Amino acid sequence: MLKKLGRINRRRIPTMEDDTPPGQFVTEKFPILTYGSTPRINLDTWQFRVFGNVEEEITLNWEEFTALPYTKLDAEFHCVTQWSKLQNTWEGVAFNDVMKLIKPTADVTHVMAHCYGGYSTNLALDVITDDDVLFAWAHDGERLAEAHGGPLRLVVPKRYGWKSAKWVNGLEFMTEDRPGFWEIRGYHMEGDPWKEQRFWDELM
Ligand SMILES: Nc1nc2c(c(=O)[nH]1)N[C@H]1C(S)=C(S)[C@@H](COP(=O)(O)O)O[C@H]1N2
Ligand SMILES: [Mo]
């Protein structure tokens, strides 16, 4: 009981010692953060491609992807521009259910998520295979809006929002780390909000 009350308190008066990572402000809104424009995607030609250091490349169409086991997850969302939306219900496919189709070579350490529109972001294999990572096609009970990454986005709750790639269309398995779109431009390679891994110059 006490614990529950504490939780409510923490949500209503966000401070440094609550559920919110340092330097973040809680918002009930869900702002849209996109570099460039929203790509036009046709579900009839939508493709999801797995390539790089894998024993076999695979390509899934929309029907095949959405036929994978269903998952639903409540998770926080922390943007590096300092807003956090603590309540999000995502529906889609767990990353680890997609992983069951993939045989990465033994030396794989990182994965690059690729997107329609050219965006990309890198994630360590142990981070992306965490239980709370999923590919989402719905948010808070509604089909995922185009602006929020519909038809399909990656969701990585334990990393800043830029790692939650919208309009995801592929995974590249890699034997070393490589920066993605924002990481090339100064964002941190890991992006853990609890460690405030925002930009390169904060590495040290
Ligand atoms: N393809 C793509 N994915 C993206 C982005 C983007 O510009 N393009 N922006 C990232 C950033 S910086 C954030 S904070 C989140 C924001 O998601 P939202 O627009 O649904 O709030 O998406 C991330 N995924
Ligand atoms: Mo962001």
Side-chain angles (χ1 to χ4, degrees), residues 171-184:
L171 298 173
E172 178 186 356
F173 284 77
M174 312 189 294
T175 55
E176 59 185 11
D177 203 2
R178 198 177 86 214
F181 180 87
W182 277 123
E183 293 83 6
I184 289 170

PDB file of all heavy atoms in Angstrom, residues 171-184:
ATOM      1  N   LEU A 171      17.136  -4.827 -39.768  1.00  0.00           N
ATOM      2  CA  LEU A 171      18.132  -5.010 -38.715  1.00  0.00           C
ATOM      3  C   LEU A 171      19.408  -5.493 -39.375  1.00  0.00           C
ATOM      4  O   LEU A 171      19.385  -6.463 -40.143  1.00  0.00           O
ATOM      5  CB  LEU A 171      17.674  -6.069 -37.708  1.00  0.00           C
ATOM      6  CG  LEU A 171      16.408  -5.802 -36.912  1.00  0.00           C
ATOM      7  CD1 LEU A 171      16.049  -7.059 -36.117  1.00  0.00           C
ATOM      8  CD2 LEU A 171      16.593  -4.607 -35.973  1.00  0.00           C
ATOM      9  N   GLU A 172      20.502  -4.812 -39.053  1.00  0.00           N
ATOM     10  CA  GLU A 172      21.803  -5.229 -39.559  1.00  0.00           C
ATOM     11  C   GLU A 172      22.633  -5.719 -38.379  1.00  0.00           C
ATOM     12  O   GLU A 172      22.905  -4.957 -37.445  1.00  0.00           O
ATOM     13  CB  GLU A 172      22.485  -4.034 -40.247  1.00  0.00           C
ATOM     14  CG  GLU A 172      23.870  -4.343 -40.766  1.00  0.00           C
ATOM     15  CD  GLU A 172      24.566  -3.093 -41.317  1.00  0.00           C
ATOM     16  OE1 GLU A 172      23.948  -2.013 -41.372  1.00  0.00           O
ATOM     17  OE2 GLU A 172      25.748  -3.223 -41.666  1.00  0.00           O
ATOM     18  N   PHE A 173      23.004  -6.983 -38.421  1.00  0.00           N
ATOM     19  CA  PHE A 173      23.801  -7.550 -37.329  1.00  0.00           C
ATOM     20  C   PHE A 173      25.279  -7.282 -37.605  1.00  0.00           C
ATOM     21  O   PHE A 173      25.757  -7.479 -38.721  1.00  0.00           O
ATOM     22  CB  PHE A 173      23.491  -9.040 -37.178  1.00  0.00           C
ATOM     23  CG  PHE A 173      22.164  -9.250 -36.504  1.00  0.00           C
ATOM     24  CD1 PHE A 173      20.971  -9.069 -37.208  1.00  0.00           C
ATOM     25  CD2 PHE A 173      22.094  -9.556 -35.156  1.00  0.00           C
ATOM     26  CE1 PHE A 173      19.738  -9.208 -36.583  1.00  0.00           C
ATOM     27  CE2 PHE A 173      20.864  -9.698 -34.515  1.00  0.00           C
ATOM     28  CZ  PHE A 173      19.689  -9.520 -35.233  1.00  0.00           C
ATOM     29  N   MET A 174      25.974  -6.785 -36.574  1.00  0.00           N
ATOM     30  CA  MET A 174      27.337  -6.279 -36.768  1.00  0.00           C
ATOM     31  C   MET A 174      28.301  -6.901 -35.748  1.00  0.00           C
ATOM     32  O   MET A 174      27.911  -7.236 -34.629  1.00  0.00           O
ATOM     33  CB  MET A 174      27.356  -4.762 -36.606  1.00  0.00           C
ATOM     34  CG  MET A 174      26.255  -4.056 -37.394  1.00  0.00           C
ATOM     35  SD  MET A 174      26.396  -2.252 -37.426  1.00  0.00           S
ATOM     36  CE  MET A 174      26.113  -1.805 -35.720  1.00  0.00           C
ATOM     37  N   THR A 175      29.570  -6.999 -36.157  1.00  0.00           N
ATOM     38  CA  THR A 175      30.579  -7.591 -35.267  1.00  0.00           C
ATOM     39  C   THR A 175      31.336  -6.521 -34.489  1.00  0.00           C
ATOM     40  O   THR A 175      32.246  -6.819 -33.730  1.00  0.00           O
ATOM     41  CB  THR A 175      31.577  -8.456 -36.064  1.00  0.00           C
ATOM     42  OG1 THR A 175      32.145  -7.647 -37.095  1.00  0.00           O
ATOM     43  CG2 THR A 175      30.876  -9.648 -36.684  1.00  0.00           C
ATOM     44  N   GLU A 176      30.966  -5.248 -34.721  1.00  0.00           N
ATOM     45  CA  GLU A 176      31.510  -4.162 -33.891  1.00  0.00           C
ATOM     46  C   GLU A 176      30.493  -3.031 -33.883  1.00  0.00           C
ATOM     47  O   GLU A 176      29.569  -3.014 -34.697  1.00  0.00           O
ATOM     48  CB  GLU A 176      32.861  -3.694 -34.418  1.00  0.00           C
ATOM     49  CG  GLU A 176      32.799  -3.205 -35.838  1.00  0.00           C
ATOM     50  CD  GLU A 176      34.174  -2.857 -36.410  1.00  0.00           C
ATOM     51  OE1 GLU A 176      35.188  -3.184 -35.782  1.00  0.00           O
ATOM     52  OE2 GLU A 176      34.212  -2.247 -37.481  1.00  0.00           O
ATOM     53  N   ASP A 177      30.681  -2.086 -32.985  1.00  0.00           N
ATOM     54  CA  ASP A 177      29.747  -0.968 -32.887  1.00  0.00           C
ATOM     55  C   ASP A 177      30.016   0.031 -34.004  1.00  0.00           C
ATOM     56  O   ASP A 177      31.151   0.173 -34.460  1.00  0.00           O
ATOM     57  CB  ASP A 177      29.907  -0.285 -31.509  1.00  0.00           C
ATOM     58  CG  ASP A 177      28.657   0.469 -31.100  1.00  0.00           C
ATOM     59  OD1 ASP A 177      27.648   0.431 -31.852  1.00  0.00           O
ATOM     60  OD2 ASP A 177      28.665   1.079 -30.014  1.00  0.00           O
ATOM     61  N   ARG A 178      28.947   0.686 -34.458  1.00  0.00           N
ATOM     62  CA  ARG A 178      29.064   1.692 -35.515  1.00  0.00           C
ATOM     63  C   ARG A 178      27.980   2.719 -35.247  1.00  0.00           C
ATOM     64  O   ARG A 178      26.863   2.333 -34.895  1.00  0.00           O
ATOM     65  CB  ARG A 178      28.823   1.001 -36.855  1.00  0.00           C
ATOM     66  CG  ARG A 178      29.301   1.767 -38.064  1.00  0.00           C
ATOM     67  CD  ARG A 178      29.069   0.952 -39.332  1.00  0.00           C
ATOM     68  NE  ARG A 178      27.731   1.153 -39.860  1.00  0.00           N
ATOM     69  CZ  ARG A 178      27.025   0.208 -40.478  1.00  0.00           C
ATOM     70  NH1 ARG A 178      27.483  -1.015 -40.610  1.00  0.00           N
ATOM     71  NH2 ARG A 178      25.829   0.483 -40.951  1.00  0.00           N
ATOM     72  N   PRO A 179      28.271   4.023 -35.373  1.00  0.00           N
ATOM     73  CA  PRO A 179      27.254   5.024 -35.049  1.00  0.00           C
ATOM     74  C   PRO A 179      26.136   5.090 -36.080  1.00  0.00           C
ATOM     75  O   PRO A 179      26.377   4.928 -37.279  1.00  0.00           O
ATOM     76  CB  PRO A 179      28.048   6.339 -35.018  1.00  0.00           C
ATOM     77  CG  PRO A 179      29.260   6.078 -35.863  1.00  0.00           C
ATOM     78  CD  PRO A 179      29.565   4.624 -35.738  1.00  0.00           C
ATOM     79  N   GLY A 180      24.921   5.338 -35.627  1.00  0.00           N
ATOM     80  CA  GLY A 180      23.780   5.550 -36.509  1.00  0.00           C
ATOM     81  C   GLY A 180      23.603   7.028 -36.815  1.00  0.00           C
ATOM     82  O   GLY A 180      24.535   7.824 -36.639  1.00  0.00           O
ATOM     83  N   PHE A 181      22.400   7.399 -37.250  1.00  0.00           N
ATOM     84  CA  PHE A 181      22.134   8.763 -37.716  1.00  0.00           C
ATOM     85  C   PHE A 181      22.507   9.832 -36.687  1.00  0.00           C
ATOM     86  O   PHE A 181      23.286  10.733 -36.967  1.00  0.00           O
ATOM     87  CB  PHE A 181      20.654   8.901 -38.097  1.00  0.00           C
ATOM     88  CG  PHE A 181      20.294  10.277 -38.595  1.00  0.00           C
ATOM     89  CD1 PHE A 181      20.440  10.608 -39.935  1.00  0.00           C
ATOM     90  CD2 PHE A 181      19.831  11.254 -37.720  1.00  0.00           C
ATOM     91  CE1 PHE A 181      20.138  11.882 -40.393  1.00  0.00           C
ATOM     92  CE2 PHE A 181      19.522  12.536 -38.173  1.00  0.00           C
ATOM     93  CZ  PHE A 181      19.672  12.846 -39.505  1.00  0.00           C
ATOM     94  N   TRP A 182      21.960   9.758 -35.495  1.00  0.00           N
ATOM     95  CA  TRP A 182      22.246  10.782 -34.486  1.00  0.00           C
ATOM     96  C   TRP A 182      23.586  10.553 -33.803  1.00  0.00           C
ATOM     97  O   TRP A 182      24.227  11.495 -33.340  1.00  0.00           O
ATOM     98  CB  TRP A 182      21.139  10.841 -33.426  1.00  0.00           C
ATOM     99  CG  TRP A 182      19.968  11.656 -33.859  1.00  0.00           C
ATOM    100  CD1 TRP A 182      18.659  11.252 -33.934  1.00  0.00           C
ATOM    101  CD2 TRP A 182      19.964  13.041 -34.280  1.00  0.00           C
ATOM    102  NE1 TRP A 182      17.864  12.271 -34.382  1.00  0.00           N
ATOM    103  CE2 TRP A 182      18.634  13.373 -34.601  1.00  0.00           C
ATOM    104  CE3 TRP A 182      20.958  14.005 -34.433  1.00  0.00           C
ATOM    105  CZ2 TRP A 182      18.283  14.653 -35.058  1.00  0.00           C
ATOM    106  CZ3 TRP A 182      20.600  15.281 -34.885  1.00  0.00           C
ATOM    107  CH2 TRP A 182      19.272  15.581 -35.188  1.00  0.00           C
ATOM    108  N   GLU A 183      24.002   9.312 -33.718  1.00  0.00           N
ATOM    109  CA  GLU A 183      25.278   9.021 -33.060  1.00  0.00           C
ATOM    110  C   GLU A 183      26.431   9.627 -33.861  1.00  0.00           C
ATOM    111  O   GLU A 183      27.403  10.103 -33.274  1.00  0.00           O
ATOM    112  CB  GLU A 183      25.453   7.511 -32.888  1.00  0.00           C
ATOM    113  CG  GLU A 183      24.462   6.855 -31.897  1.00  0.00           C
ATOM    114  CD  GLU A 183      23.119   6.528 -32.518  1.00  0.00           C
ATOM    115  OE1 GLU A 183      22.981   6.693 -33.758  1.00  0.00           O
ATOM    116  OE2 GLU A 183      22.196   6.099 -31.795  1.00  0.00           O
ATOM    117  N   ILE A 184      26.314   9.648 -35.201  1.00  0.00           N
ATOM    118  CA  ILE A 184      27.330  10.305 -36.026  1.00  0.00           C
ATOM    119  C   ILE A 184      27.369  11.789 -35.712  1.00  0.00           C
ATOM    120  O   ILE A 184      28.418  12.427 -35.729  1.00  0.00           O
ATOM    121  CB  ILE A 184      27.016  10.108 -37.543  1.00  0.00           C
ATOM    122  CG1 ILE A 184      27.246   8.664 -37.950  1.00  0.00           C
ATOM    123  CG2 ILE A 184      27.850  11.052 -38.416  1.00  0.00           C
ATOM    124  CD1 ILE A 184      26.742   8.333 -39.351  1.00  0.00           C
TER     125      ILE A 184
END
